Amino acid sequence: MRDSLCELEHPEHIRSDSLHHKNRNLPTRLSLRDLLRELVNLFDTFQNTEQFLSYIKNRLLWKRLYGLAGFQYQGAKNDKIGEYMNEKFFDLKKEKQDRMINAALKIFASNGYKHASTDDIVSEAGISKGLLFHYFGSKLGLYTFLYDYSVRFMKLELTTGVSSSADDYFAIRKQIEFAKMQVLKNYPYMQQFLDRCASENVSEALMATESQRSVIQDVYAALKNQADSSRFVESVSPEKLDAMLDYTISGLMTTRFRDDSFQPEMLYEEIVSYLEMLKRISYRKS
């Protein structure tokens, strides 16, 4: 691996600020050849190739989620969320990150901010309470990170998963639900967490998430506005139909979690059956 990295050369210059490990500080700009040399040195600080590739993959994932161009990602320091968390969380193995995230999503979704217990979260995640507070500082810090991460993750899936040329309302809804299914495969409680946050009434939780509270709704509105409403029969109100579908989908998800039968793929297929039925009775005959 070292030899193959060293042999590569290219005149392009790229940002390298993202590659921080064990207090390594790199120059602001490097040629690709110099960057590859630094990567070789970075590789030597890991025990094996799997750890090295996992580290790089995690950094690239966080860079993508946080919407930064090139190699400018430096963790959470550049974002408001950095006020609440330790960026070393990004250096954990992805499996451990997701275990902690999923545990917290579940507890907050089930109990709301006020009644969510950090004892329950660490028990669910299989970690110590000291480790949780090492990375997030407080219950509010964890909640704020989760909300920020969930909004960004959901927005990324929705905006990349729905075609900008789609104008059939039911096709758009199907693509939206497919994108959500991809999210729920990794984070089963993320949608319920966001739904619970929408009705949150604890002031400190509201203030910590205030700047992003309309982001997902704005994304949904933009996607649904692509639809050609002239296809509906006169007796159907697109707004009421949309609200009815939202309530139905939310109810289906709640029921599946309550009876312990939730599976993202099965929920998606069930939602699609409702969409196809409603399309047959809501659209004009061609």
Side-chain angles (χ1 to χ4, degrees), residues 11-213:
E12 291 181 359
H13 287 71
I14 58 179
R15 299 283 294 182
S16 62
D17 308 49
S18 65
L19 302 175
H20 288 280
H21 182 60
K22 295 186 177 179
N23 297 320
R24 177 182 297 278
N25 292 309
L26 302 181
T28 302
R29 296 186 70 86
L30 293 175
S31 67
L32 184 56
R33 182 183 180 87
D34 290 337
L35 177 61
L36 289 170
R37 185 177 295 110
E38 291 291 344
L39 281 171
V40 171
N41 294 333
L42 180 65
F43 175 74
D44 287 338
T45 68
F46 290 85
Q47 294 181 359
N48 54 52
T49 304
E50 182 181 358
Q51 287 185 5
F52 172 74
L53 293 178
S54 177
Y55 173 79
I56 296 298
K57 182 179 178 181
N58 285 350
R59 284 290 173 166
L60 293 177
L61 170 65
W62 288 109
K63 175 180 69 65
R64 186 180 182 213
L65 273 182
Y66 281 80
L68 303 175
F71 279 79
Q72 295 179 327
Y73 177 67
Q74 294 186 41
K77 283 196 242 182
N78 294 331
D79 197 89
K80 182 181 177 183
I81 200 69
E83 298 174 12
Y84 299 96
M85 69 170 297
N86 182 343
E87 67 166 1
K88 293 299 182 182
F89 176 74
F90 300 135
D91 295 335
L92 293 174
K93 289 183 178 181
K94 189 67 169 59
E95 181 276 331
K96 190 167 188 177
Q97 292 179 27
D98 284 349
R99 182 153 42 90
M100 294 170 68
I101 289 171
N102 275 320
L105 287 172
K106 179 179 179 179
I107 301 304
F108 280 119
S110 301
N111 301 284
Y113 178 78
K114 182 177 181 179
H115 299 290
S117 165
T118 53
D119 288 333
D120 291 341
I121 292 172
V122 298
S123 176
E124 183 77 24
I127 60 172
S128 69
K129 201 167 186 177
L131 187 65
L132 183 74
F133 287 118
H134 171 70
Y135 288 118
F136 300 104
S138 65
K139 177 176 158 180
L140 180 62
L142 175 60
Y143 180 87
T144 307
F145 165 77
L146 278 182
Y147 190 80
D148 181 86
Y149 181 74
S150 298
V151 167
R152 291 176 188 271
F153 200 98
M154 189 68 75
K155 179 181 178 181
L156 180 64
E157 287 294 336
L158 289 170
T159 54
T160 57
V162 180
S163 171
S164 59
S165 61
D167 64 357
D168 182 313
Y169 171 80
F170 292 99
I172 292 170
R173 286 296 305 231
K174 189 181 293 187
Q175 290 178 31
I176 287 174
E177 295 309 318
F178 187 84
K180 286 165 60 178
M181 179 187 72
Q182 300 307 315
V183 172
L184 298 180
K185 284 181 179 180
N186 292 315
Y187 303 108
Y189 288 90
M190 185 171 281
Q191 184 61 59
Q192 287 194 312
F193 170 74
L194 288 170
D195 291 343
R196 189 67 182 247
C197 290
S199 59
E200 186 58 69
N201 58 8
V202 176
S203 59
E204 65 175 357
L206 288 171
M207 290 177 65
T209 59
E210 182 180 9
S211 64
Q212 290 184 293
R213 293 189 69 81

Side-chain angles (χ1 to χ4, degrees), residues 229-258:
S229 60
S230 67
R231 297 180 181 183
F232 290 101
V233 297
E234 291 184 5
S235 59
V236 171
S237 163
E239 292 76 17
K240 290 182 179 180
L241 176 67
D242 193 62
M244 182 178 70
L245 271 170
D246 286 342
Y247 287 126
T248 300
I249 292 168
S250 177
L252 288 171
M253 183 179 294
T254 299
T255 300
R256 297 297 164 262
F257 273 106
R258 188 170 56 221

